[in-house]
Amino acid sequence: MDVRGGGGAAEGGGAAEGGGAAAAGGSAAAGPSAGQESSTEVRVQKVTDAARRWAKSVVRIIQTTMNGKKKAVVGIGNAVVVYARKDMSFFVTCAHIFGNSTDIALIRLYGGKKDYLVDQIHYRNGDLDLLLFSVKKCPLLECPPFSMTSLRHFDYVAILGYSGPSFNLNQRREELLLVSAPTILPGRICTEPFREDIAGMYQIKFYNSCSAGVGISGSPLFNEDGVVVGIHSGADNLKRDASSATTLQQLLRTWLEIAEEEGDQTIEQLVGKVYENMKGTSKKKR
């Protein structure tokens, strides 16, 4: 289960980042200008607001197992809705979140207390850490748009996902705290986003009160236009990595054997084909 998504304020940089005041008798050339600082604040606020718009489209994944006669939470993560109908909804997340097949996976919606059972895993790619699953008869959620274009170095982005801080029940045991609303973690893409056409890299800026990042894996990564550009996978020192939306799109096209001449199709359209195939198969069995 996800233990890689976390970090504290020191990881993403702090007030010292970008320079400071000039030394006595010197110039302020080493630090950013007032205009640059103002522009950064505006951009960070813009991407934060763009992500917040989709808070109800992200769900928490809860994995449980039976501990004697009691149900215990053994792992958490996030997923974003990509296709929704009254009878079934589809979500994208990270493959590593679904570990032991004997564990029961549930989703919990924004502010909700009712859990919905994960019905089926349709597609899994362990190398790129992506997974598509469905849930039956959960409330209809609005699907955010997914990018079909390349990312750019230094683009402003924001993770939107439920963190999983823990608290001490006693000296021997800790328990995960299942918060009811997602956290927004803004930042910028900090390396060239495509290395061999796989996951991009981006840096977290802790311009919020989030105290931990455990459980953030599977969260969507939004740009300033409120478009999903990637799925958050994990953390390595000061960087966070994500599989890009365009990578997900291409994986689904390959899996569904969509020919090039059929043209570009959105992720929602591609997952819609999975749904229609399931409906068709169901009708044949009757």
Coordinates of all heavy atoms in Angstrom, one line a residue, residues 26-96:
G26 N 24.8 45.8 -0.7 CA 24.8 45.1 -2.0 C 23.5 45.4 -2.8 O 22.8 46.3 -2.5
S27 N 23.3 44.6 -3.8 CA 22.0 44.7 -4.6 C 21.1 43.6 -4.3 O 21.5 42.6 -3.7 CB 22.4 44.8 -6.1 OG 22.8 43.5 -6.5
A28 N 19.9 43.6 -4.8 CA 18.9 42.6 -4.6 C 18.8 41.7 -5.8 O 17.8 41.0 -6.0 CB 17.5 43.2 -4.4
A29 N 19.9 41.6 -6.6 CA 19.9 40.8 -7.8 C 19.6 39.3 -7.6 O 19.1 38.7 -8.5 CB 21.2 41.0 -8.6
A30 N 20.0 38.8 -6.4 CA 19.9 37.4 -6.2 C 18.5 36.9 -6.0 O 18.2 35.8 -6.1 CB 20.8 37.0 -5.0
G31 N 17.6 37.8 -5.6 CA 16.2 37.5 -5.3 C 15.3 37.8 -6.4 O 15.6 38.6 -7.3
P32 N 14.1 37.3 -6.3 CA 13.1 37.6 -7.3 C 12.5 39.0 -7.2 O 12.5 39.5 -6.1 CB 12.0 36.5 -7.1 CG 12.1 36.2 -5.6 CD 13.6 36.3 -5.3
S33 N 12.1 39.6 -8.2 CA 11.5 40.9 -8.1 C 10.1 40.8 -7.6 O 9.5 39.7 -7.5 CB 11.4 41.5 -9.5 OG 10.5 40.8 -10.3
A34 N 9.6 41.9 -7.1 CA 8.2 41.9 -6.6 C 7.2 41.5 -7.6 O 6.2 40.8 -7.3 CB 7.9 43.3 -6.1
G35 N 7.4 41.8 -8.8 CA 6.5 41.4 -9.9 C 6.6 39.9 -10.1 O 5.5 39.3 -10.3
Q36 N 7.8 39.3 -10.0 CA 7.9 37.9 -10.2 C 7.2 37.1 -9.0 O 6.5 36.1 -9.2 CB 9.4 37.4 -10.2 CG 10.0 37.8 -11.5 CD 11.5 37.6 -11.5 OE1 12.2 37.7 -10.4 NE2 12.1 37.1 -12.6
E37 N 7.4 37.6 -7.8 CA 6.7 37.0 -6.6 C 5.2 37.1 -6.8 O 4.5 36.1 -6.5 CB 7.2 37.7 -5.3 CG 8.6 37.4 -5.0 CD 9.0 38.1 -3.7 OE1 8.3 39.1 -3.3 OE2 10.0 37.7 -3.1
S38 N 4.7 38.3 -7.2 CA 3.3 38.4 -7.4 C 2.7 37.5 -8.4 O 1.7 36.9 -8.3 CB 3.0 39.9 -7.8 OG 1.6 40.1 -8.0
S39 N 3.5 37.3 -9.5 CA 3.0 36.5 -10.6 C 3.0 35.0 -10.1 O 2.0 34.3 -10.5 CB 4.0 36.6 -11.8 OG 3.7 35.6 -12.8
T40 N 4.0 34.6 -9.3 CA 4.0 33.2 -8.8 C 2.8 33.0 -7.9 O 2.1 32.0 -8.0 CB 5.3 33.0 -8.0 OG1 6.4 33.1 -8.9 CG2 5.2 31.6 -7.4
E41 N 2.4 33.9 -7.1 CA 1.3 33.8 -6.2 C 0.0 33.7 -7.0 O -0.9 32.9 -6.6 CB 1.2 35.0 -5.2 CG 2.3 35.0 -4.2 CD 2.3 36.3 -3.3 OE1 1.3 37.1 -3.5 OE2 3.2 36.5 -2.5
V42 N -0.1 34.5 -8.0 CA -1.3 34.4 -8.8 C -1.5 33.1 -9.5 O -2.5 32.5 -9.6 CB -1.3 35.6 -9.9 CG1 -2.4 35.4 -10.9 CG2 -1.5 36.9 -9.2
R43 N -0.3 32.6 -10.0 CA -0.4 31.3 -10.8 C -0.7 30.1 -9.8 O -1.4 29.2 -10.1 CB 1.0 31.0 -11.4 CG 1.4 32.1 -12.5 CD 0.6 31.9 -13.8 NE 0.9 30.6 -14.4 CZ 2.0 30.4 -15.2 NH1 2.8 31.4 -15.5 NH2 2.1 29.3 -15.8
V44 N -0.1 30.2 -8.6 CA -0.3 29.1 -7.6 C -1.8 29.2 -7.2 O -2.5 28.1 -7.1 CB 0.6 29.3 -6.4 CG1 0.1 28.4 -5.2 CG2 2.0 28.9 -6.7
Q45 N -2.3 30.3 -7.0 CA -3.7 30.5 -6.6 C -4.7 30.0 -7.7 O -5.7 29.3 -7.5 CB -4.1 31.9 -6.3 CG -5.5 32.1 -5.7 CD -5.7 31.4 -4.4 OE1 -4.9 31.6 -3.5 NE2 -6.7 30.5 -4.3
K46 N -4.3 30.2 -9.0 CA -5.1 29.8 -10.1 C -5.1 28.3 -10.2 O -6.2 27.7 -10.4 CB -4.5 30.4 -11.4 CG -5.3 30.0 -12.7 CD -4.7 30.7 -13.9 CE -5.5 30.3 -15.1 NZ -4.9 30.8 -16.4
V47 N -4.0 27.6 -10.1 CA -4.0 26.2 -10.2 C -4.7 25.5 -9.0 O -5.3 24.5 -9.1 CB -2.6 25.6 -10.4 CG1 -1.8 25.7 -9.1 CG2 -2.6 24.2 -11.0
T48 N -4.6 26.2 -7.8 CA -5.3 25.7 -6.6 C -6.8 25.7 -6.8 O -7.5 24.8 -6.5 CB -4.8 26.5 -5.4 OG1 -3.4 26.3 -5.2 CG2 -5.6 26.0 -4.1
D49 N -7.2 26.9 -7.3 CA -8.7 27.0 -7.5 C -9.2 26.1 -8.6 O -10.3 25.5 -8.5 CB -9.0 28.5 -7.9 CG -8.8 29.5 -6.8 OD1 -8.8 29.0 -5.6 OD2 -8.6 30.7 -7.1
A50 N -8.3 25.9 -9.6 CA -8.7 25.0 -10.7 C -8.9 23.5 -10.2 O -9.8 22.8 -10.6 CB -7.7 25.0 -11.9
A51 N -8.0 23.1 -9.4 CA -8.1 21.8 -8.8 C -9.3 21.6 -7.8 O -10.0 20.6 -7.9 CB -6.8 21.4 -8.1
R52 N -9.5 22.7 -7.0 CA -10.6 22.6 -6.0 C -12.0 22.4 -6.7 O -12.8 21.7 -6.1 CB -10.6 23.9 -5.2 CG -11.7 23.9 -4.1 CD -11.6 25.2 -3.3 NE -10.4 25.3 -2.6 CZ -9.5 26.2 -2.8 NH1 -9.6 27.1 -3.8 NH2 -8.4 26.3 -2.1
R53 N -12.1 22.9 -7.9 CA -13.4 22.7 -8.6 C -13.8 21.3 -8.8 O -14.9 20.9 -8.9 CB -13.2 23.4 -10.0 CG -13.9 22.8 -11.2 CD -15.2 23.4 -11.5 NE -15.9 23.0 -12.6 CZ -16.6 21.9 -12.8 NH1 -16.7 21.0 -11.8 NH2 -17.3 21.6 -13.9
W54 N -12.8 20.3 -8.8 CA -13.0 18.9 -9.0 C -12.9 18.1 -7.8 O -12.8 16.9 -7.9 CB -12.1 18.4 -10.1 CG -12.3 19.1 -11.4 CD1 -11.5 20.1 -11.9 CD2 -13.3 18.8 -12.3 NE1 -12.0 20.5 -13.2 CE2 -13.2 19.7 -13.4 CE3 -14.4 18.0 -12.3 CZ2 -14.0 19.8 -14.5 CZ3 -15.3 18.0 -13.4 CH2 -15.1 18.9 -14.5
A55 N -13.1 18.7 -6.6 CA -12.9 17.9 -5.3 C -13.8 16.7 -5.2 O -13.4 15.7 -4.7 CB -13.1 18.9 -4.1
K56 N -15.0 16.9 -5.7 CA -16.0 15.8 -5.6 C -15.8 14.7 -6.6 O -16.5 13.7 -6.6 CB -17.4 16.3 -5.6 CG -17.8 17.2 -4.5 CD -19.2 17.7 -4.5 CE -19.5 18.6 -3.3 NZ -20.9 19.1 -3.3
S57 N -14.9 14.9 -7.5 CA -14.6 13.8 -8.6 C -13.5 12.9 -8.1 O -13.3 11.9 -8.9 CB -14.3 14.5 -9.9 OG -15.3 15.3 -10.4
V58 N -12.9 13.2 -7.0 CA -11.8 12.3 -6.5 C -12.4 11.5 -5.3 O -13.1 12.0 -4.5 CB -10.6 13.2 -6.0 CG1 -9.5 12.3 -5.4 CG2 -10.1 14.0 -7.2
V59 N -12.1 10.2 -5.3 CA -12.6 9.4 -4.2 C -11.4 8.7 -3.5 O -10.3 8.6 -4.0 CB -13.5 8.2 -4.8 CG1 -14.7 8.8 -5.5 CG2 -12.8 7.3 -5.7
R60 N -11.7 8.4 -2.2 CA -10.7 7.7 -1.4 C -10.9 6.2 -1.6 O -12.0 5.7 -1.6 CB -10.9 8.0 0.1 CG -9.9 7.3 0.9 CD -10.1 7.5 2.4 NE -9.7 8.7 2.9 CZ -8.4 9.1 3.0 NH1 -7.5 8.3 2.6 NH2 -8.1 10.3 3.5
I61 N -9.8 5.5 -1.8 CA -9.7 4.1 -1.8 C -9.4 3.6 -0.4 O -8.4 4.0 0.2 CB -8.7 3.5 -2.9 CG1 -9.1 4.0 -4.3 CG2 -8.7 2.0 -2.8 CD1 -8.1 3.6 -5.3
I62 N -10.2 2.6 0.1 CA -9.9 2.1 1.4 C -9.8 0.6 1.2 O -10.7 -0.1 0.7 CB -11.0 2.4 2.4 CG1 -11.2 3.9 2.5 CG2 -10.7 1.8 3.8 CD1 -12.4 4.3 3.3
Q63 N -8.7 0.0 1.6 CA -8.5 -1.5 1.6 C -8.6 -2.0 3.0 O -7.9 -1.5 3.9 CB -7.2 -1.9 0.9 CG -7.2 -1.8 -0.6 CD -6.2 -2.7 -1.2 OE1 -5.0 -2.5 -1.0 NE2 -6.6 -3.6 -2.1
T64 N -9.5 -3.0 3.1 CA -9.7 -3.6 4.5 C -9.4 -5.1 4.4 O -9.5 -5.7 3.4 CB -11.1 -3.4 4.9 OG1 -12.0 -4.0 4.1 CG2 -11.4 -1.9 4.9
T65 N -9.2 -5.6 5.6 CA -9.0 -7.1 5.8 C -9.6 -7.4 7.1 O -9.8 -6.6 8.0 CB -7.6 -7.5 5.7 OG1 -7.5 -8.9 5.6 CG2 -6.8 -7.0 6.9
M66 N -10.0 -8.7 7.2 CA -10.6 -9.1 8.5 C -9.5 -9.5 9.5 O -8.6 -10.3 9.2 CB -11.5 -10.4 8.3 CG -12.7 -10.1 7.4 SD -13.7 -8.7 8.1 CE -14.2 -9.3 9.7
N67 N -9.6 -8.8 10.7 CA -8.6 -9.1 11.7 C -9.4 -9.8 12.9 O -10.0 -9.1 13.7 CB -8.0 -7.8 12.2 CG -7.0 -8.0 13.3 OD1 -6.6 -9.2 13.6 ND2 -6.4 -6.9 13.9
G68 N -9.5 -11.1 12.8 CA -10.4 -11.8 13.7 C -11.8 -11.6 13.2 O -12.2 -11.8 12.0
K69 N -12.6 -11.0 14.1 CA -14.0 -10.7 13.7 C -14.2 -9.2 13.3 O -15.3 -8.8 13.0 CB -15.0 -11.0 14.9 CG -15.0 -12.5 15.2 CD -16.0 -12.8 16.3 CE -16.2 -14.3 16.5 NZ -17.2 -14.6 17.6
K70 N -13.1 -8.5 13.4 CA -13.2 -7.0 13.1 C -12.5 -6.7 11.7 O -11.6 -7.4 11.3 CB -12.4 -6.3 14.2 CG -13.1 -6.3 15.6 CD -12.4 -5.4 16.6 CE -13.1 -5.5 17.9 NZ -12.4 -4.6 18.9
K71 N -13.1 -5.7 11.1 CA -12.6 -5.2 9.8 C -11.5 -4.1 10.1 O -11.8 -3.2 10.8 CB -13.7 -4.7 9.0 CG -13.3 -4.3 7.6 CD -14.5 -4.1 6.7 CE -15.3 -2.9 7.1 NZ -16.4 -2.6 6.1
A72 N -10.3 -4.3 9.6 CA -9.2 -3.4 9.8 C -8.8 -2.8 8.5 O -8.7 -3.4 7.4 CB -8.0 -4.1 10.4
V73 N -8.5 -1.5 8.5 CA -8.0 -0.7 7.3 C -6.5 -1.1 7.2 O -5.7 -0.9 8.1 CB -8.2 0.8 7.5 CG1 -7.6 1.5 6.3 CG2 -9.7 1.1 7.6
V74 N -6.1 -1.6 6.0 CA -4.7 -2.0 5.8 C -4.1 -1.1 4.7 O -2.9 -1.2 4.5 CB -4.6 -3.4 5.4 CG1 -5.1 -4.3 6.5 CG2 -5.4 -3.7 4.1
G75 N -4.8 -0.3 4.0 CA -4.2 0.6 3.0 C -5.2 1.6 2.5 O -6.4 1.4 2.6
I76 N -4.7 2.7 2.0 CA -5.5 3.8 1.4 C -4.9 4.3 0.2 O -3.7 4.1 -0.1 CB -5.7 4.9 2.5 CG1 -4.3 5.4 3.0 CG2 -6.6 4.5 3.6 CD1 -4.4 6.6 3.9
G77 N -5.7 5.0 -0.6 CA -5.2 5.6 -1.8 C -6.3 6.5 -2.4 O -7.2 6.8 -1.7
N78 N -6.1 6.9 -3.6 CA -7.1 7.8 -4.3 C -7.3 7.3 -5.7 O -6.6 6.6 -6.3 CB -6.5 9.2 -4.4 CG -6.4 9.9 -3.0 OD1 -7.3 10.7 -2.7 ND2 -5.4 9.7 -2.3
A79 N -8.5 7.8 -6.2 CA -8.8 7.5 -7.6 C -9.6 8.7 -8.2 O -10.3 9.4 -7.4 CB -9.6 6.2 -7.7
V80 N -9.7 8.8 -9.5 CA -10.5 9.9 -10.1 C -11.4 9.3 -11.1 O -11.1 8.3 -11.8 CB -9.6 11.0 -10.8 CG1 -8.7 10.3 -11.9 CG2 -10.4 12.1 -11.4
V81 N -12.7 9.7 -11.1 CA -13.7 9.2 -12.0 C -13.4 9.6 -13.4 O -13.0 10.7 -13.7 CB -15.1 9.7 -11.6 CG1 -15.3 11.2 -11.7 CG2 -16.2 8.9 -12.4
V82 N -13.5 8.6 -14.3 CA -13.2 8.9 -15.8 C -14.5 8.6 -16.6 O -14.5 9.0 -17.8 CB -12.0 8.1 -16.3 CG1 -10.7 8.5 -15.6 CG2 -12.2 6.6 -16.0
Y83 N -15.4 7.9 -16.1 CA -16.7 7.6 -16.9 C -17.7 7.2 -15.9 O -17.5 6.4 -15.0 CB -16.4 6.4 -17.8 CG -17.5 6.1 -18.8 CD1 -17.6 6.8 -20.0 CD2 -18.5 5.1 -18.5 CE1 -18.6 6.6 -20.9 CE2 -19.5 4.9 -19.4 CZ -19.6 5.6 -20.6 OH -20.6 5.3 -21.5
A84 N -18.9 7.8 -16.0 CA -20.0 7.6 -15.0 C -21.3 7.4 -15.7 O -21.8 8.1 -16.5 CB -20.0 8.7 -14.0
R85 N -22.0 6.3 -15.3 CA -23.4 6.0 -15.6 C -24.1 5.6 -14.4 O -23.5 5.3 -13.3 CB -23.5 4.9 -16.7 CG -22.9 5.3 -18.0 CD -23.7 6.4 -18.7 NE -23.3 6.8 -20.0 CZ -22.4 7.8 -20.2 NH1 -21.9 8.4 -19.2 NH2 -22.1 8.1 -21.5
K86 N -25.5 5.5 -14.4 CA -26.2 5.2 -13.2 C -25.9 3.8 -12.7 O -25.9 3.6 -11.5 CB -27.7 5.3 -13.6 CG -28.2 6.7 -13.7 CD -29.8 6.8 -14.0 CE -30.2 8.2 -14.1 NZ -31.7 8.2 -14.4
D87 N -25.6 2.9 -13.6 CA -25.4 1.5 -13.1 C -24.0 1.2 -12.8 O -23.7 0.2 -12.1 CB -25.9 0.5 -14.1 CG -25.3 0.7 -15.5 OD1 -24.8 1.8 -15.8 OD2 -25.2 -0.3 -16.2
M88 N -23.0 2.0 -13.3 CA -21.6 1.7 -13.1 C -20.8 3.0 -13.4 O -21.0 3.8 -14.3 CB -21.2 0.6 -14.1 CG -19.8 0.1 -13.9 SD -19.5 -1.3 -15.0 CE -20.6 -2.5 -14.3
S89 N -19.7 3.1 -12.6 CA -18.7 4.2 -12.8 C -17.3 3.6 -12.8 O -17.0 2.6 -12.1 CB -18.8 5.2 -11.6 OG -20.1 5.9 -11.6
F90 N -16.5 4.3 -13.6 CA -15.1 3.8 -13.8 C -14.1 4.8 -13.2 O -14.3 6.0 -13.3 CB -14.8 3.6 -15.3 CG -15.5 2.4 -15.9 CD1 -16.8 2.5 -16.2 CD2 -14.9 1.2 -16.1 CE1 -17.5 1.4 -16.8 CE2 -15.5 0.1 -16.6 CZ -16.9 0.2 -17.0
F91 N -13.0 4.3 -12.6 CA -12.1 5.2 -12.0 C -10.6 4.7 -12.4 O -10.4 3.6 -12.6 CB -12.2 5.1 -10.4 CG -13.5 5.5 -9.9 CD1 -14.6 4.6 -9.9 CD2 -13.7 6.8 -9.4 CE1 -15.8 5.0 -9.4 CE2 -15.0 7.2 -8.9 CZ -16.0 6.3 -8.9
V92 N -9.7 5.7 -12.4 CA -8.3 5.4 -12.7 C -7.5 5.7 -11.4 O -7.8 6.7 -10.7 CB -7.8 6.3 -13.8 CG1 -6.3 6.3 -13.9 CG2 -8.4 5.9 -15.1
T93 N -6.6 4.9 -11.1 CA -5.7 5.0 -9.9 C -4.4 4.4 -10.2 O -4.0 4.1 -11.4 CB -6.4 4.4 -8.7 OG1 -5.6 4.7 -7.5 CG2 -6.5 2.9 -8.9
C94 N -3.6 4.2 -9.2 CA -2.3 3.5 -9.3 C -2.4 2.0 -9.1 O -3.1 1.6 -8.2 CB -1.3 4.1 -8.3 SG -0.8 5.7 -8.6
A95 N -1.7 1.2 -9.9 CA -1.7 -0.2 -9.7 C -1.2 -0.7 -8.4 O -1.7 -1.7 -7.8 CB -0.9 -0.9 -10.8
H96 N -0.2 0.0 -7.8 CA 0.4 -0.5 -6.5 C -0.6 -0.4 -5.4 O -0.3 -1.0 -4.3 CB 1.7 0.2 -6.3 CG 1.5 1.6 -5.7 ND1 1.7 2.8 -6.5 CD2 1.3 2.1 -4.5 CE1 1.5 3.8 -5.7 NE2 1.3 3.4 -4.5

